[in-house]
């Protein structure tokens, strides 16, 4: 971020890659607002799986070259799924 002509690193935001003002990201945001409206609507726990999630899974799987991709509503949910899939009764880390 730039304040009074000085550059600073912002460690308190969610724009980890600094892409929030990239023209392609802004354009995609505008297209998304036209399709889905504005506002978060709550987490996936509240609003559930939407057409936007389905479209993102398909776009990611095509981009990565896999037949399918799976989105999780949080990092915790993703980790829980991986641990459950890989570990069995009596497993230890």
């Amino acid at each position: 971020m730039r304040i009074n002509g000085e550059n600073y690193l912002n460690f308190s935001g969610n724009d980890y890659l600094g892409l929030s003002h990239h023209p392609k990201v802004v354009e995609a945001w505008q297209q998304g607002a036209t399709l889905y409206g504005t506002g978060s609507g709550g987490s996936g726990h509240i609003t559930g799986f939407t057409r936007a999630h389905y479209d993102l899974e398909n776009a990611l799987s095509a981009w990565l070259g896999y037949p399918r991709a799976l989105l999780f509503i949080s990092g915790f949910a993703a980790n829980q799924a991986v641990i459950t899939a890989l570990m069995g009764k009596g497993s230890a880390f």
Side-chain angles (χ1 to χ4, degrees):
M1 68 181 5
R2 191 164 182 82
I3 302 173
N4 296 326
E6 296 287 331
N7 290 324
Y8 296 91
L9 292 175
N10 179 1
F11 293 106
S12 63
N14 289 326
D15 187 15
Y16 306 117
L17 301 176
L19 296 174
S20 66
H21 290 90
H22 190 282
K24 289 186 177 184
V25 173
V26 172
E27 180 184 350
W29 181 267
Q30 291 168 337
Q31 290 173 0
T34 299
L35 289 171
Y36 307 110
T38 59
S40 64
S43 72
H45 291 292
I46 298 167
T47 58
F49 190 82
T50 68
R51 179 66 190 203
H53 296 106
Y54 177 79
D55 291 344
L56 178 57
E57 282 185 345
N58 287 329
L60 287 172
S61 65
W63 180 60
L64 294 169
Y66 289 100
R68 294 283 307 179
L70 180 61
L71 295 178
F72 289 92
I73 60 172
S74 68
F76 176 82
N79 290 330
Q80 189 176 29
V82 168
I83 290 170
T84 301
L86 297 179
M87 298 297 175
K89 187 174 182 175
S91 295
F93 293 109

